[in-house]
Amino acid sequence: MRIAELEEYVGIPRVGGLALSPDGERVVVGVSTLDAKKTAYVTALWEVDPAGEKPARRLTRSAKSEGGAAFTRTGDLLFTSARPDPAAKDGDDENPPALWLLPRDGAEARVVAARKGGLGGPVVATDADVVLLSGDVLVHAADEEQDEKLRKDRKEKKVGAILHEGYPVRFWDHDLGPGFPRLFTADVSAVVGDEAPLAGEEDPRLTLTDRTPQAGPALVEQHAAISPDGSTIVTGWNRPRARGDQRSALVAIDVATGERRTLVEDDAFDAFGPEVSPDGRWVVFGYETISSPHEAPHAGLRLVPLAGGESRVVAAGWDRWPGSPVWLPDSSGLLVVADDDGRAPVFRVDLGTDGAPDVVTRVTSDDAAFTDVRVAPDGRTAYALRSSYLAPAHPVRIDLTSVPTQAVALRSPAPTPELPGRLEEVGTTVEDGRRVRAWLALPEGADAEHPAPLVLWIHGGPLSSWNAWSWRWNPWLLVARGYAVLLPDPALSTGYGRDFVQVGWGAWGQAPFTDLMAVTDVAEQHAAVDATRTAAMGGSFGGYMANWVAGHTDRFKAIVTHASLWALDQFGPTTDAAFYWQREMTEQMALEASPHRFVADIRTPMLVIHGDRDYRVPIGEGLRLWYELLAKSGLPADDEGRSPHRFLYFPDENHWVLQPQHAIVWYRTVEAFLAEHVLARTGDDAVAYPEVLG
């Protein structure tokens, strides 16, 4: 499929999520495609041949999507979906996500658990018939019956009000409350096996037991795991602190009694994302130290006995931030993923015993990023999704017996799009001796005789890296229009060691800015790049940097700033995680690093883009930026309000722009703006803004 045309681009199937059966013989992935109206994506489950010989086959089909695939130990497939239940009673007009079972023998899928508050995130014990599920329960509901009644009352009376007694009150793009997550367990043996009901008999349903009745908001945005024998739940647990702060701890919950004990709690770091070892003895979890305005965090993995005790850092001497841990079958080590020099390879960590250090070995040699790693039961093979700037996510097989190794692509259910250009790597050494590198995507035919205009695209985060395919921030759409696109990793980027982060910590407009300008200088010297026609753009932190660039240099012809931080004194208390921002900068540092102070120095046309449902960078940032560009910038509006600046506003989008037709509007607006100011295409030669904007 071609990536050049936007309508075709948004229609390219997208692979995400991977599950592996207990016997290692079945691989299931999710595939998202456009719905019939081409206004939303729906996800179906597909089975991929682990040998890479047979074509992928579709397992599910509905207008409501399926997700959360997980295998029972007997090989049946569980998933969640809001599609209608054929066995529902007449009059049921709502379908919150329910738990469905697709038997291993290929029989028709059926609902095995449902509740008005919905269900999600199934996790199955590997050695027991126990499934762990999550679902929201209203704060004042004493039981399921009352929860249903309260939900019905709120709906019929059209009450949307929420009374808060703590912080936070919203996350990303949705309000928190009045319901909060709970964890449920059930015995899946009641719905699997060879005994099926006779005609006229009802299918059996799981009996759900709430294991966290007093959780309140403790489980918001937390991940839970269950021990192999199904006896213990381990989950992240939010702990409120004074002055609106909070910490994330780990707790262990006895499934039989509901007794909860603290497993890890330390004021020095947040603990999250636990995974229990196959032998049931250990828990590996993610951690991040509590940063200060002057000290960047340490992050990575720690290990603690499930029975309780002191935790320790995994691979303490390794200057990378590993995550997404997966246990090896014999519990001797882990497979992890870590950003590394513009890639995100798979690494093996052999855990040291008797005081010996952990040993880290790189497993994959691909210039790529890996997610959703799963290990076969014999420990000789792993499966994962691989992506890079050459290809979107697709399933692969990894040989663990001979490393480092190239992952082998399996037969994906989604086609690989054709790229309209080539990818190179560029870099430079900055004044303090650090190497700053970037990917450079160049259009077909770009050379010294036909140089391409350059777009500097700055990543968000800021603790992030340009190392994996992004459907949201895709450089190839601009490359298809003839632009070269530079994707740099400046100071604060991950994958280059903690000192690389520290040099930009609390000083966003300093090293990150000079790094960006230095690597842009190198890109402009490339024979296939036209240094006289350049633009800069970015989203989130990248939008912040775009705003900073606008106020500190006139070298670019145009700047695009999406979901950007503008006035840091205003942003800090209004973002959805203000407590985290308070650790980032002092008031004086925030003032010194705030782009709004330099609005009078902005002489470059800017395209401002913001979504109203953006709670990470609230809409007030975009509104204030837009007004001050018109009123105070070096390119102010005239007496009739006309300005070279533009403001693209999405009333129903969040930090990203996710609806497919809105994505088309986004890219076409950016293209028109860049064509006007970078390519000087005006009048009859102008690129039109999308007609659907009215």
Side-chain angles (χ1 to χ4, degrees):
M1 301 183 73
R2 295 187 305 165
I3 205 171
E5 298 302 323
L6 277 167
E7 286 78 5
E8 291 190 36
Y9 169 76
V10 299
I12 296 173
R14 306 173 179 195
V15 177
L18 184 149
L20 180 67
S21 63
D23 59 9
E25 296 182 0
R26 298 182 66 192
V27 174
V28 170
V29 299
V31 181
S32 297
T33 55
L34 284 178
D35 65 6
K37 295 182 178 180
K38 299 184 178 182
T39 57
Y41 291 100
V42 293
T43 302
L45 300 181
W46 288 68
E47 184 167 348
V48 175
D49 179 16
E53 299 173 355
K54 301 175 183 177
R57 67 186 184 101
R58 187 167 184 167
L59 299 178
T60 66
R61 189 185 304 270
S62 80
K64 293 293 187 180
S65 292
E66 291 84 34
F71 284 96
T72 69
R73 66 170 178 162
T74 56
D76 299 295
L77 183 64
L78 296 171
F79 63 88
T80 57
S81 178
R83 63 188 187 180
D85 177 6
K89 298 177 182 178
D90 293 339
D92 286 353
D93 58 353
E94 288 189 358
N95 296 291
L99 183 68
W100 291 69
L101 175 76
L102 182 62
R104 64 188 182 278
D105 61 10
E108 187 175 359
R110 68 182 192 274
V111 174
V112 293
R115 53 185 302 275
K116 289 297 184 182
L119 290 168
V123 179
V124 183
T126 56
D127 301 330
D129 293 320
V130 179
V131 62
L132 174 67
L133 297 151
S134 64
D136 280 5
V137 178
L138 296 178
V139 173
H140 296 293
D143 52 33
E144 279 294 301
E145 182 179 358
Q146 188 177 14
D147 185 69
E148 288 190 22
K149 180 181 181 303
L150 289 173
R151 290 179 185 278
K152 183 179 179 181
D153 287 348
R154 287 178 62 86
K155 179 183 177 182
E156 292 180 347
K157 296 174 181 178
K158 301 188 182 302
V159 173
I162 302 170
L163 179 63
H164 293 284
E165 56 184 37
Y167 189 87
V169 299
R170 56 186 187 172
F171 182 82
W172 197 252
D173 63 355
H174 60 275
D175 298 310
L176 299 180
F180 289 109
R182 302 272 185 89
L183 296 177
F184 301 86
T185 61
D187 180 356
V188 295
S189 65
V191 297
V192 300
D194 297 328
E195 292 295 329
L198 297 175
E201 296 179 347
E202 292 187 2
D203 289 321
R205 294 289 179 98
L206 296 178
T207 300
L208 301 173
T209 303
D210 186 350
R211 302 299 180 184
T212 54
Q214 306 301 322
L219 295 170
V220 172
E221 301 302 323
Q222 291 287 4
H223 166 81
I226 192 164
S227 61
D229 63 5
S231 66
T232 307
I233 299 167
V234 182
T235 181
W237 195 269
N238 298 317
R239 304 278 201 195
R241 291 290 191 270
R243 298 183 181 274
D245 200 359
Q246 70 175 33
R247 295 285 189 277
S248 177
L250 290 189
V251 301
I253 301 168
D254 186 273
V255 170
T257 65
E259 179 182 351
R260 185 176 74 241
R261 57 184 171 89
T262 299
L263 188 61
V264 176
E265 184 170 22
D266 195 314
D267 281 341
F269 61 81
D270 283 319
F272 48 86
E275 298 293 345
V276 184
S277 62
D279 63 11
R281 296 178 56 204
W282 300 95
V283 177
V284 65
F285 62 94
Y287 83 97
E288 182 175 318
T289 59
I290 306 304
S291 60
S292 73
H294 302 285
E295 186 74 12
H298 291 269
L301 300 173
R302 298 180 75 96
L303 194 68
V304 66
L306 179 57
E310 293 296 318
S311 70
R312 71 167 181 87
V313 175
V314 173
W318 187 29
D319 194 15
R320 289 296 181 266
W321 289 357
S324 305
V326 179
W327 283 97
L328 296 175
D330 63 359
S331 301
S332 66
L334 306 158
L335 293 185
V336 302
V337 175
D339 289 351
D340 184 62
D341 200 42
R343 291 89 171 158
V346 177
F347 296 87
R348 175 177 178 140
V349 181
D350 290 297
L351 299 173
T353 58
D354 300 324
D358 302 332
V359 177
V360 179
T361 304
R362 180 167 174 167
V363 173
T364 56
S365 57
D366 314 56
D367 287 337
F370 292 82
T371 63
D372 300 88
V373 179
R374 304 289 182 263
V375 185
D378 62 5
R380 299 173 59 84
T381 306
Y383 300 91
L385 297 181
R386 176 181 64 187
S387 75
S388 69
Y389 280 105
L390 296 177
H394 55 281
V396 295
R397 184 178 65 248
I398 304 169
D399 181 1
L400 299 179
T401 64
S402 179
V403 298
T405 184
Q406 284 276 129
V408 177
L410 303 178
R411 297 186 67 173
S412 176
T416 300
E418 299 176 17
L419 299 183
R422 65 188 188 273
L423 190 68
E424 297 183 10
E425 195 169 5
V426 298
T428 187
T429 301
V430 294
E431 285 189 4
D432 60 8
R434 288 177 300 108
R435 170 176 164 268
V436 177
R437 54 157 303 285
W439 296 111
L440 178 63
L442 293 161
E444 293 177 355
D447 55 26
E449 294 183 0
H450 308 90
L454 179 71
V455 175
L456 164 66
W457 202 331
I458 311 166
H459 71 62
L463 303 180
S464 185
S465 170
W466 285 125
N467 59 30
W469 183 279
S470 169
W471 291 107
R472 180 62 206 96
W473 310 119
N474 198 305
W476 297 111
L477 290 165
L478 290 179
V479 173
R481 299 295 182 264
Y483 295 92
V485 180
L486 183 66
L487 305 169
D489 279 355
L492 290 174
S493 298
T494 52
Y496 307 92
R498 184 175 174 277
D499 288 347
F500 199 86
V501 174
Q502 181 63 47
V503 74
W505 194 257
W508 289 3
Q510 297 179 28
F513 172 70
T514 56
D515 285 0
L516 289 169
M517 297 303 99
V519 77
T520 301
D521 290 341
V522 171
E524 288 180 348
Q525 295 169 17
H526 194 290
V529 170
D530 182 353
T532 67
R533 298 186 295 169
T534 62
M537 62 189 291
S540 194
F541 168 78
Y544 162 90
M545 285 307 311
N547 294 339
W548 187 267
V549 166
H552 287 78
T553 179
D554 296 338
R555 68 184 294 174
F556 298 104
K557 301 292 186 182
I559 289 176
V560 180
T561 179
H562 173 98
S564 64
L565 290 71
W566 174 243
L568 297 189
D569 60 333
Q570 169 183 278
F571 163 78
T574 58
T575 182
D576 59 351
F579 59 86
Y580 190 89
W581 176 256
Q582 295 305 312
R583 308 169 190 168
E584 193 88 12
M585 296 183 185
T586 65
E587 290 185 6
Q588 184 60 34
M589 292 165 67
L591 178 63
E592 293 174 356
S594 189
H596 83 281
R597 296 191 303 120
F598 305 97
V599 63
D601 298 322
I602 294 178
R603 296 176 177 82
T604 304
M606 295 186 70
L607 170 60
V608 179
I609 310 175
H610 222 111
D612 200 271
R613 294 195 64 81
D614 185 351
Y615 295 165
R616 181 56 45 91
V617 181
I619 185 61
E621 296 299 297
L623 294 174
R624 181 169 172 180
L625 167 57
W626 177 240
Y627 176 75
E628 292 185 349
L629 279 178
L630 299 183
K632 301 180 180 180
S633 77
L635 291 172
D638 61 22
D639 292 341
E640 297 183 5
R642 293 176 301 218
S643 168
H645 306 302
R646 296 289 183 271
F647 182 20
L648 179 60
Y649 168 67
F650 292 97
D652 54 353
E653 292 285 1
N654 62 20
H655 199 55
W656 313 129
V657 174
L658 301 179
Q659 298 176 49
Q661 296 304 319
H662 279 168
I664 291 174
V665 168
W666 193 97
Y667 278 105
R668 283 190 171 153
T669 301
V670 169
E671 179 191 351
F673 187 77
L674 295 180
E676 178 182 358
H677 298 288
V678 177
L679 307 183
R681 293 180 60 179
T682 58
D684 293 340
D685 193 38
V687 174
Y689 286 89
E691 288 186 1
V692 292
L693 289 174

